Amino acid sequence: MNKKMLAEEIIRISGTDPKKCMKCGKCSGSCPAYDDMEYHPHQFVSMIINGNVDPLMVSESVYSCLTCFACAERCPRGVEPAKLIEAVRLFKLREKGKNRMSAEDVSAFCDADMPQQAIVSAFRKYAK
Amino acid sequence: MQRIGVFVCWCGSNIAGTVDVKQVAKALENEPGVVYSTDYQYMCSQAGQDMIVNAVKEHRLTGIVVCSCSPRMHEQTFRKTAAKAGLNPYMVEIANIREQCSWVHKDMIVGTEKAIILGKAAVAKVNLNAPLTPGESPVTKRALVIGGGIAGIQTALDIADAGFEVDIVEKKPTIGGKMAQLDKTFPTLDCAACILTPKMVDVAQHEKIRVFSFSEVSEVSGFVGNFEVTIKKKARYVKEDICTGCGACVDKCPVKKVPNEFNLGMDNRKAIYIPFAQAVPKVATIDPNACNMLKAGKCGVCSKVCTAGAIDYTQKDELVTEKYGAIVVATGFEPISMEKFDEYAYSQSKDVITSLEFERLTNAAGPTQGKLLRPSDLKHPEKIVFVQCVGSRCASCAEKGKEYCSKICCMYTAKHAMLTRDKYPDTDVTVFYIDVRTPGKNFDEFYRRATEDYGVKYIKGMVGKIVPEGDKLHVQGSDLIANEQVHIDADLVVLAAAIEPDKSARPLATMLTASMDTNDFFTEAHPKLRPVESPTAGVFLSGACQGPKDIPETVSQAGAAAAKVIGLLAKDKLLGNPCVASSDENMCNGCSSCANVCPYGAITYEDKEFRMPDRTIQVRRIAKVNPAVCQGCGCCTVTCPSGAMDLRGFTNSQIMAEVDAICK
């Protein structure tokens, strides 16, 4: 898959339109995991718009994202960078075709103290 | 049978580039009624118009079809040309082969084919055209200005100076609007009050201007030149003509803790109050929700101390009906609510304020007498963060912000930052910006001075969240140029809130049948060429009710609106649009469908006696269109179930003829 198709596929999976970005940086201003990231949320959006996706595919940054959705909630333009990062993770998953954390394992983690969103996030995150 | 001339315009290469104009002229030659057909490079030029005049004489033409640009562009031009040639101006039809044809097609064959079809439709219509004569109506030579901010004040002064009477209706107890609340004005930094209050005094003293303060428009009827407006004068419980504005009542009023709206609730006022020292009219107003006398019948202190005897607890709202020839809307703006921006902690901390609140904090007549003290503990803030674009350019969250740029925030933020550094050089001032937009005379220089001469730090990036921690505000934002996240422990945060039209604008637009956009800004008749007129005849726009504007722009638009009003009021009679609806009384069954859809209220009903074939008299209810009010929109003609309604110049048969010509 060439760069352009790769970027288009990621945009398709994310369901958002990164072209709406006005480069305000509110995503990176909101991000609680900013300092752990090689590429910050606003760079993520810009790299995907420019089709520069290869560095993202090999970067640890995509797993530094906590999926807290603060950037998505506060983005004034509805670009929702968290969804793009999630799309990169999903793409890599689908490429590998198998999950490290399988669906059957999920129920073992479910108890009253565990937020459902955390399980869903973990499921996505550790399913390399 | 008509004798029709067809004139196909090249519009340079605008039309001729994608339409074979010669072929169009040739094809239309054979249409029924056409006796002459030609083409020319620029039909609208003097030579082109002369060509039309000569052809009318030479070929004894009775109708003209011009295949050219949109009728919005040159219909008037060609109607005047026809009149010059001795034809009725309404015997001209325009086939729009530019905007609707050559500009949207790339292929010459397709473009030419469509241009011919559009030309045929116009010819078919002219075949059924009849000469029309516009009616006349008188003009009431008085104007109403709704809103008494700087826009309304300037418009009123300009109209009054031309010798026409003007009434200003202002919903607040005083005129002055938002400008009265400002401290300094960019880019020259003159004091807002110093330049505004003389104008307010001019209004008060002008023999041609009356101010209805603490009043609202409650009903509008009529039409251009002949509006009838009902104004509600809200009870202020003080006789306006007797009160001297001495302020003794305010001093003695025991109810002291009413949030002061003029200072945006940052201090308190009394139950009886004068909004500010230079208020016009300088008359006290009693707040019925706070006054003990009005609420419980106990107190009466103000009436005891008033030596003029102006207090009247029994005052009621009063309705006044006045006639006007023109109405100017100058309802202005409000900053949007910050309550929904949880990430900026506006509701959590008193030290997160809006720019308008900051304006009051630095104003000598404000709650801190102009000393910059933060609201929570009245300490001098050492670190101040300004956040721009809060709620502006916010496309994703219609319930929170606005999609448009509020236009004034970049400049007032630069002003606030600069003045803070000027008065308090020890303060650390940071501005977060997305873009700095400073198009305007001396505007960019002003913003650069804030950075270069006053040391304001500008950070390209947005604040993500603000968290109150102890007596500090932890500001987390991004610095996109340094590519890092910044953390600032600030003492005061100022949010440049987006602005929106005043809430009173929407109901007012309904009363005036003036159109608005999705953001509730009034729509202008043409965004470039008629920017101060509403599409509704006789209604004009002044200031921020039409879109975000700073003071210089508002004042220029206010003057432009006044010029348009003066132009209207200077006429003794108005020529109407003859393309109005009329009802065939023999077919009308009085069902009211047309009146229900008429957006202008032009249709009324009357009972009329009809002599029947058997010589009896029958009384039937029939529709009557007031041609001076009708704008010719045609809603009634398509609604009428019996086909009684028809629009002159666009009759049902003419439109069907056009459709037939296109579909042939």
Side-chain angles (χ1 to χ4, degrees), chain A residues 22-35 38 40 42-43 73-79, chain B residues 341 343-344 393-397 400 403 434-435 460-465 476-478 480 483-485:
Chain A
M22 64 172 172
K23 300 181 168 50
C24 70
K26 199 169 179 181
C27 47
S28 287
S30 298
C31 185
Y34 185 94
D35 291 333
E38 181 186 2
H40 306 122
H42 72 278
Q43 288 174 291
E73 168 63 25
R74 292 174 198 160
C75 175
R77 308 297 296 182
V79 176
Chain B
F341 288 88
E343 65 265 37
Y344 295 137
R393 308 171 68 189
C394 189
S396 69
C397 41
K400 266 169 86 173
E403 192 167 359
I434 304 174
D435 296 293
K460 161 124 182 97
M462 194 67 180
V463 171
K465 64 173 177 181
Q476 176 185 307
S478 61
L480 295 178
N483 196 19
E484 62 187 24
Q485 200 170 52

Side-chain angles (χ1 to χ4, degrees), chain B residues 29 41 113 147 162 211 246 267 304 455 461 548 601 646:
Chain B
E29 220 168 42
Q41 232 164 353
E113 189 188 351
V211 177
C246 70
D267 66 353
K304 283 183 204 115
D646 217 348

Side-chain angles (χ1 to χ4, degrees), chain A:
Chain A
M1 195 179 275
N2 69 26
K3 271 188 185 180
K4 201 177 155 222
M5 284 167 64
L6 185 58
E8 276 169 11
E9 178 62 8
I10 286 165
I11 291 168
R12 192 191 65 79
I13 295 173
S14 73
T16 75
D17 181 3
K19 286 200 298 300
K20 287 184 183 165
C21 174
M22 64 172 172
K23 300 181 168 50
C24 70
K26 199 169 179 181
C27 47
S28 287
S30 298
C31 185
Y34 185 94
D35 291 333
D36 299 326
M37 287 180 165
E38 181 186 2
Y39 301 114
H40 306 122
H42 72 278
Q43 288 174 291
F44 235 95
V45 179
S46 157
M47 287 163 89
I48 290 173
I49 294 173
N50 294 327
N52 184 18
V53 196
D54 290 343
L56 293 178
M57 302 304 285
V58 295
S59 170
E60 283 295 310
S61 294
V62 287
Y63 302 106
S64 309
C65 168
L66 302 169
T67 326
C68 72
F69 280 90
C71 54
E73 168 63 25
R74 292 174 198 160
C75 175
R77 308 297 296 182
V79 176
E80 305 177 296
K83 289 190 180 170
L84 287 168
I85 300 173
E86 175 70 6
V88 172
R89 287 195 292 252
L90 282 176
F91 182 83
K92 289 173 73 163
L93 257 182
R94 291 175 190 179
E95 211 178 23
K96 291 195 171 152
K98 62 173 188 176
N99 296 335
R100 201 176 78 185
M101 192 167 109
S102 66
E104 295 80 60
D105 298 339
V106 171
S107 63
F109 293 100
C110 290
D111 59 51
D113 296 332
M114 181 68 86
Q116 280 189 16
Q117 195 183 350
I119 297 173
V120 175
S121 293
F123 186 50
R124 287 164 172 167
K125 210 164 170 184
Y126 298 111
K128 287 190 213 174

Side-chain angles (χ1 to χ4, degrees), chain B residues 570-612:
Chain B
K571 290 178 185 147
D572 294 320
K573 291 220 180 299
L574 287 179
L575 277 189
N577 169 18
C579 299
V580 292
S582 65
S583 175
D584 182 341
E585 55 187 34
N586 291 318
M587 286 161 84
C588 176
N589 63 11
C591 72
S592 293
S593 300
C594 52
N596 290 339
V597 296
C598 178
Y600 306 98
I603 301 171
T604 50
Y605 289 89
E606 66 176 34
D607 289 323
K608 192 170 172 179
E609 292 180 352
F610 287 88
R611 187 180 291 271
M612 303 311 283

